[in-house]
Amino acid sequence: MRIFLKILAILVLMVTVLAAGTVLYALETRVPEITIIQSRAIPAAEARDSFESLQGQLEAGTCTGHVFREESPVLENSTFLNLTLRLHNRCLLPMEWIETAVVPEEGDILEERDERPKVLAAFAEGDLPLRILTENENMSRRIRIRYYLLGKAFDTEIQVNFNPELAEDEQP
């Protein structure tokens, strides 16, 4: 009986240590690894068709993106900021309802993003596109990523520089 209790105590201790290690790993890896795949600033004059389409949608009130300003943008002053982020879920739990959003600055007109709910399985990776139309000269933006783990909301932010002189692999 004594030997059985010793073996049982050792097994319970091993299970407890394993469970504690799993919980600590899940807590430590709850923030995804974020990589900037693409960050480009494109003058609206070079993407005239997209600009005119968005301008028409803004005037008609049918724009599907998040509108920051109702005024009609001017082609010569506007710039598209295109961004693709790659998220790598290092956690043991799936990330659910993932969404990206720009922290708007003065001069930002709208953002377009994929509004469908996204789920990233454990140890998986996926891309999140975002496009911003702005009249602001500042080519740097804070991007907020919101996601849920087991129903609890988490937020993280990343600073993205859209300056064409700064290579994408040089960004923090």
Side-chain angles (χ1 to χ4, degrees), residues 102-121:
V102 66
V103 177
E105 293 186 4
E106 188 173 331
D108 288 351
I109 300 165
L110 66 89
E111 73 177 355
E112 287 184 310
R113 61 182 180 213
D114 187 2
E115 296 288 338
R116 295 174 293 181
K118 291 167 215 51
V119 175
L120 199 54

Side-chain angles (χ1 to χ4, degrees), residues 25-116:
Y25 179 80
L27 289 173
E28 183 64 30
T29 59
R30 70 181 181 270
V31 177
E33 181 181 320
I34 302 169
T35 308
I36 299 170
I37 300 299
Q38 171 198 0
S39 63
R40 294 179 43 207
I42 302 170
E46 293 179 18
R48 184 179 291 270
D49 292 340
S50 292
F51 177 82
E52 289 173 354
S53 172
L54 281 175
Q55 190 175 34
Q57 291 174 14
L58 281 170
E59 291 171 358
T62 60
C63 187
T64 57
H66 187 263
V67 179
F68 303 119
R69 191 177 90 191
E70 296 295 330
E71 302 164 17
S72 185
V74 178
L75 178 68
E76 294 77 24
N77 299 340
S78 300
T79 303
F80 284 109
L81 304 176
N82 293 332
L83 174 67
T84 303
L85 296 176
R86 178 162 294 154
L87 267 62
H88 179 72
N89 183 6
R90 304 174 297 149
C91 189
L92 297 170
L93 306 169
M95 293 171 59
E96 300 171 325
W97 293 92
I98 305 167
E99 67 178 12
T100 57
V102 66
V103 177
E105 293 186 4
E106 188 173 331
D108 288 351
I109 300 165
L110 66 89
E111 73 177 355
E112 287 184 310
R113 61 182 180 213
D114 187 2
E115 296 288 338
R116 295 174 293 181

